[in-house]
Amino acid sequence: NKLIQLVSPQLNFENNYTFNFDSNTNTFKILNSAGNIFVETTLLLCLSIISTLNNLKFKFIEEMKITILADNSFYSQRDELIERNLPLSIDSMKQLPNFLAARKQKDTGELQKTGLGSSAALVTSITAVILQHFEIINLNSNNQSINDLEIIHKLAQICHCIAQEKIGSGFDVSAAVFGSQTYMRFSSTILSEIILHSSEILKEKQINLQTVEKLKEIIFNNNNSNEMIQSNINWDHSHNFFRLPKYFQLVLGDIGAGSKTPSLVRQVTSWRDKLRQENKLEFSSWGKLTRLNEQVISLFNKLITFENDDNYNLIIEKLSKSTKQQV
């Protein structure tokens, strides 16, 4: 048995989980559930996989403590700023202490999230720290291995998809691993078989050995030794570094509440699938949006090539002082 103490000071949460393997049923289990499907699914999958890798450190470590701390940007700080008599600005946000307690909405009791992918960041962080702790990967090096990052990415994607019981865009997880990027999702067929087990995993807080072996095939090949190589399964996603040109800023509105992403995505996906069935996708708003997104990326990258040009600074300064009509 392994004892995992998980603490989240910001959410005033603490729980002691027990991870074990039932040899009678060939299943790995997480006991003493506290109802956090993202945390518990990630713990179960990560520890189950590592326990089958002949990892010496895993055999000797009986207890772990994981402390979760989230950047203030993941939660609405509007009420905090108002109470401190600070202007609602970026500069004011920088003055706040790190890792403030997350507030809840008074009417619903739900966390005041900003919708920046906190669940995906949580899953990715726990995945990375467990893999690092048991020396499956090495993130301490100045030259981090792309293979190590890909292992984190694949396992975190699987954990997040199972917790949601669906294969989403995967962008939040990819951004948590690789940073600012342009992204194209992997084919859903890679995880379609695994997702069939999500109800059992979420309901029973357990996963059988056969499914764990399948996960290992998807993430990496294990040739009956401690040496792992990348899986032959083609993860056909793409992530390319992206940044905004100099002087450009992305502004987000804080409405003091998150959104039910899965339900929103289902509605959009249903609309897109209907357009595809009617052979109208390319000429629909969906198709136009895709093309416009590609143009925006292309134009931003083109602007970056002019950043060192003296005229660039002059033009940006002029535009910043112009009205909409003048532009």
Side-chain angles (χ1 to χ4, degrees):
N1 288 358
K2 308 289 182 187
L3 177 65
I4 304 101
Q5 181 185 19
L6 191 132
V7 180
S8 173
Q10 289 164 288
L11 301 180
N12 194 26
F13 173 86
E14 181 175 336
N15 195 51
N16 293 322
Y17 297 99
T18 300
F19 170 80
N20 67 20
F21 177 68
D22 186 339
S23 57
N24 294 322
T25 58
N26 271 352
T27 55
F28 299 93
K29 298 182 179 181
I30 283 284
L31 307 177
N32 195 26
S33 169
N36 191 316
I37 58 173
F38 290 102
V39 167
E40 293 164 12
T41 301
T42 306
L43 289 175
L44 176 61
L45 268 60
C46 290
L47 294 175
S48 298
I49 289 172
I50 293 172
S51 70
T52 65
L53 294 177
N54 297 321
N55 185 278
L56 291 177
K57 194 171 181 180
F58 186 85
K59 293 179 180 179
F60 291 106
I61 291 180
E62 296 182 355
E63 296 184 6
M64 295 173 56
K65 180 178 180 179
I66 300 175
T67 301
I68 298 172
L69 295 170
D71 188 275
N72 288 337
S73 297
F74 282 114
Y75 304 109
S76 173
Q77 302 301 332
R78 184 175 55 185
D79 292 343
E80 185 75 31
L81 293 173
I82 291 173
E83 289 179 10
R84 291 171 180 260
N85 294 317
L86 291 172
L88 302 181
S89 67
I90 295 175
D91 289 336
S92 296
M93 284 284 291
K94 294 176 181 178
Q95 296 178 42
L96 296 177
N98 291 328
F99 313 127
L100 287 169
R103 294 171 178 257
K104 294 183 178 181
Q105 297 179 56
K106 294 178 182 178
D107 52 345
T108 65
E110 294 186 357
L111 289 175
Q112 291 184 323
K113 294 183 176 182
T114 52
L116 293 178
S118 56
S119 298
L122 171 66
V123 168
T124 304
S125 299
I126 294 177
T127 300
V129 78
I130 291 177
L131 292 175
Q132 174 74 14
H133 184 66
F134 289 107
E135 301 176 357
I136 306 300
I137 59 173
N138 180 15
L139 298 179
N140 291 329
S141 170
N142 291 330
N143 298 317
Q144 293 178 357
S145 166
I146 187 64
N147 286 347
D148 284 351
L149 293 178
E150 285 290 0
I151 289 172
I152 297 170
H153 172 251
K154 292 172 184 178
L155 181 48
Q157 289 284 15
I158 292 169
C159 294
H160 199 248
C161 287
I162 288 178
Q164 293 188 116
E165 294 189 80
K166 64 182 288 293
I167 302 172
S169 73
F171 175 75
D172 286 351
V173 170
S174 187
V177 177
F178 300 108
S180 182
Q181 64 190 268
T182 56
Y183 171 79
M184 184 174 292
R185 197 196 72 178
F186 51 87
S187 300
S188 60
T189 51
I190 294 173
L191 300 184
S192 55
E193 183 181 341
I194 293 298
I195 291 299
L196 298 176
H197 300 277
S198 30
S199 294
E200 174 195 357
I201 293 170
L202 296 174
K203 183 179 179 181
E204 305 297 334
K205 309 300 178 186
Q206 66 182 35
I207 185 171
N208 63 59
L209 181 59
Q210 185 178 0
T211 305
V212 171
E213 293 298 331
K214 180 62 180 177
L215 288 177
K216 286 161 60 179
E217 290 177 14
I218 295 174
I219 300 165
F220 41 62
N221 290 336
N222 184 275
N223 53 0
N224 298 319
S225 72
N226 287 327
E227 183 179 351
M228 294 173 295
I229 58 175
Q230 287 302 106
S231 171
N232 289 325
I233 294 177
N234 179 29
W235 282 72
D236 51 356
H237 60 289
S238 68
H239 49 86
N240 299 302
F241 175 74
F242 175 80
R243 70 172 177 86
L244 293 174
K246 189 167 63 172
Y247 302 130
F248 279 70
Q249 290 183 326
L250 182 63
V251 180
L252 301 177
D254 176 8
I255 61 171
S259 60
K260 302 293 184 183
T261 304
S263 60
L264 292 175
V265 170
R266 274 193 292 270
Q267 295 177 49
V268 175
T269 301
S270 175
W271 167 63
R272 182 197 62 190
D273 291 344
K274 182 181 179 182
L275 290 171
R276 182 178 284 129
Q277 292 170 5
E278 297 172 351
N279 293 320
K280 297 178 180 178
L281 189 63
E282 183 180 355
F283 304 102
S284 67
S285 299
W286 182 278
K288 293 175 183 176
L289 180 61
T290 299
R291 290 190 292 274
L292 287 172
N293 282 338
E294 291 171 350
Q295 288 179 35
V296 167
I297 293 168
S298 176
L299 290 171
F300 274 151
N301 287 333
K302 190 172 182 179
L303 270 176
I304 289 172
T305 65
F306 293 105
E307 285 180 342
N308 294 324
D309 191 313
D310 291 339
N311 288 328
Y312 180 91
N313 295 335
L314 293 173
I315 293 172
I316 292 294
E317 184 180 3
K318 183 177 180 180
L319 288 173
S320 68
K321 297 176 181 178
S322 301
T323 64
K324 181 179 179 181
Q325 288 73 21
Q326 289 174 325
V327 172

